[in-house]
Amino acid sequence: MTTLDPRAPLVLDTRQLQRRPGTMLEVARTVPAPEGLGTDVIGIGEGEPLELDLRLESVIEGVLVSGSVRGRATGACVRCLEPVEEDLDVSVQELFAYADRAAHHQEVGADEDDDQRVLQGDLLDLEPVIRDSVVPALPFQPVCRPDCPGLCSECGARLADDPDHHHESIDPRWATLQQLASTDGSVTHTTEEKRN
Ligand SMILES: [Zn+2]
Ligand SMILES: [Zn+2]
């Protein structure tokens, strides 16, 4: 485990709680989003503001973090590639166990839980918690609007801008003749006649 930097924006210091169950600490701050907070198609850009509104509660086992994380995700519509923005407001709740408690927990082999978060001294790292809450809250396939018609499969035009957009469809049989025309000039005439 890497050593946490107490000055990192997503590292919280719980010293004020003094390991006294029942003590509470409120944390409201805006921090720059860490990198990689999203999927291939949408996410909160690195350095974009993340609003944290959290409550840190001292409990027997450690520190319970709960509250909300807000930010604006940006991405592209999967149908037409127009920019998409989505305001996120996700709730988080996570127990950070005291290191000595966590060690004991593992010794007795109770409920093997690799995902357990552990305090480093008085410090806790919120970044993995935020990632685990924000990423699943993002739309799997973001769209600019629910009925986005997407792009024209023939020319790539955005159909929302031009709903009547269409191309003269060529009968597949004539399309074959057209192909022939490029190698055999004799059918060119017929093809053009039919298309007009
Ligand atoms: Zn779209
Ligand atoms: Zn088109």
Side-chain angles (χ1 to χ4, degrees):
M1 190 187 277
T2 51
T3 308
L4 297 177
D5 176 0
R7 289 161 306 176
L10 288 172
V11 171
L12 301 182
D13 191 341
T14 66
R15 198 177 339 162
Q16 283 182 55
L17 297 174
Q18 298 176 332
R19 291 186 75 148
R20 278 211 314 260
T23 323
M24 206 186 304
L25 182 64
E26 307 236 315
V27 175
R29 59 164 89 158
T30 303
V31 299
E35 62 151 350
L37 200 53
T39 64
D40 285 346
V41 284
I42 191 164
I44 299 177
E46 186 178 359
E48 291 298 307
L50 268 189
E51 280 177 58
L52 309 179
D53 202 347
L54 303 171
R55 213 163 63 161
L56 275 55
E57 266 176 278
S58 181
V59 294
I60 305 282
E61 305 89 343
V63 174
L64 182 66
V65 179
S66 57
S68 69
V69 177
R70 281 186 298 275
R72 175 165 291 185
T74 52
C77 172
V78 292
R79 294 187 202 149
C80 74
L81 307 177
E82 283 291 297
V84 174
E85 283 192 345
E86 178 108 3
D87 285 321
L88 291 177
D89 186 347
V90 298
S91 32
V92 295
Q93 186 172 50
E94 194 75 38
L95 173 70
F96 284 82
Y98 293 125
D100 44 14
R101 291 255 167 193
H104 173 71
H105 195 74
Q106 279 177 355
E107 257 170 45
V108 297
D111 293 338
E112 199 66 49
D113 185 2
D114 296 332
D115 288 341
Q116 192 183 28
R117 318 259 182 221
V118 181
L119 282 155
Q120 272 188 36
D122 292 315
L123 302 178
L124 59 81
D125 184 12
L126 271 184
E127 186 174 327
V129 176
I130 288 181
R131 196 179 304 279
D132 288 357
S133 314
V134 168
V135 175
L138 293 165
F140 186 58
Q141 297 206 305
V143 284
C144 60
R145 60 180 218 213
D147 60 346
C148 170
L151 302 177
C152 169
S153 59
E154 290 198 40
C155 72
R158 198 167 167 256
L159 295 175
D161 295 336
D162 189 2
D164 297 328
H165 178 99
H166 70 288
H167 295 263
E168 293 302 331
S169 58
I170 298 164
D171 186 303
R173 284 167 297 177
W174 293 115
T176 310
L177 275 179
Q178 250 194 334
Q179 274 175 359
L180 284 174
S182 58
T183 49
D184 178 358
S186 63
V187 290
T188 305
H189 176 72
T190 322
T191 309
E192 276 177 358
E193 200 172 60
K194 278 289 172 188
R195 281 175 70 198
N196 291 331

